[in-house]
Amino acid sequence: MVTRGFSSGRRPPTDGDARIPPGQYLEQGFPVLSAGPTPRVRTEDWSFTLKHGPRPIKKWNWAEFNALPLTKMTRDIHCVTAWTKFDTPWQGVLVDDILADAGLEPPTGFTLAHAFDGYTTNVPVTDLTAGKAMVALLYEGKPITSDHGGPARLLVPHLYFWKSAKWLNGLQFTTRDEPGFWELRGYHIYGDPWREQRYTDDP
């Protein structure tokens, strides 16, 4: 795993930090973590595909995707490596609006998020819809940098941040809860930070 930025402002939680899940500390910076080398995806080459199993349902290029309704979302995020960052401001397309543009009701209860570097992670549909998740295009009002998953990344802020796949290029509906990259390597299948679901054996 590639990591950078861990000296950027760590402070221990106080009694007033009720927003920090168990086992986490408050981070003032924004550490960079990646499973491998950072891909540099040009917007001219970017596309997003919605699939049901192996079958493509709809595909958007960068201009088409940016023409979808944009929503602002400010949320706390929690990394499985124990840092929490408050009030991160994002802007992007809600998964609800992607499904609406495709004219699609979720055909199954599970998805795999796919990234340009081959990374995958599983997320239940109920954790992506009802305004809970988006495909983020901007951070702090600016295009997301490659290090942080730009040009587009999944944002599922109520789960550990490995679920918010960087360099996103698609969502695939699956018939079962299929483990992704880190889940196959011992991370929890769901990843709720408030239940400390870091690893397979955690409740």
Side-chain angles (χ1 to χ4, degrees), residues 52-71:
H52 181 191
R55 180 175 64 87
I57 298 170
K58 187 164 184 176
K59 184 176 183 178
W60 297 259
N61 63 27
W62 183 252
E64 292 165 341
F65 199 83
N66 277 263
L68 299 179
L70 295 181
T71 299

Side-chain angles (χ1 to χ4, degrees), residues 6 8-14 16-17 19-21 23-29 31 76-78 82-87:
F6 279 93
S8 55
R10 172 175 178 162
R11 83 166 173 82
T14 68
D17 289 332
R19 291 158 61 184
I20 300 181
Q24 300 287 109
Y25 69 84
L26 184 60
E27 171 65 48
Q28 302 297 335
D76 301 342
I77 55 175
H78 315 286
W83 59 264
T84 285
K85 183 172 177 62
F86 286 167
D87 298 321

Side-chain angles (χ1 to χ4, degrees), residues 60-189:
W60 297 259
N61 63 27
W62 183 252
E64 292 165 341
F65 199 83
N66 277 263
L68 299 179
L70 295 181
T71 299
K72 292 182 178 179
M73 182 183 287
T74 300
R75 297 289 188 274
D76 301 342
I77 55 175
H78 315 286
C79 182
V80 72
T81 60
W83 59 264
T84 285
K85 183 172 177 62
F86 286 167
D87 298 321
T88 60
W90 306 86
Q91 190 170 356
V93 182
L94 293 175
V95 173
D96 302 286
D97 290 327
I98 296 171
L99 296 177
D101 191 67
L104 181 71
E105 291 291 330
T108 73
F110 306 103
T111 67
L112 270 177
H114 291 266
F116 274 87
D117 63 345
Y119 179 88
T120 59
T121 190
N122 62 303
V123 187
V125 169
T126 54
D127 291 280
L128 295 177
T129 53
K132 295 177 184 176
M134 67 164 48
V135 176
L137 307 173
L138 302 173
Y139 179 73
E140 294 185 328
K142 300 176 182 179
I144 300 172
T145 63
S146 295
D147 282 349
H148 285 295
R153 71 173 299 157
L154 188 61
L155 178 67
V156 192
H158 61 285
L159 300 180
Y160 279 123
F161 211 45
W162 91 78
K163 295 290 186 178
S164 295
K166 294 180 175 183
W167 314 298
L168 191 72
N169 69 354
L171 284 175
Q172 177 188 18
F173 290 98
T174 58
T175 56
R176 61 184 182 88
D177 200 6
E178 297 184 17
F181 178 88
W182 284 120
E183 295 82 12
L184 287 169
R185 291 160 174 81
Y187 278 31
H188 198 278
I189 195 72

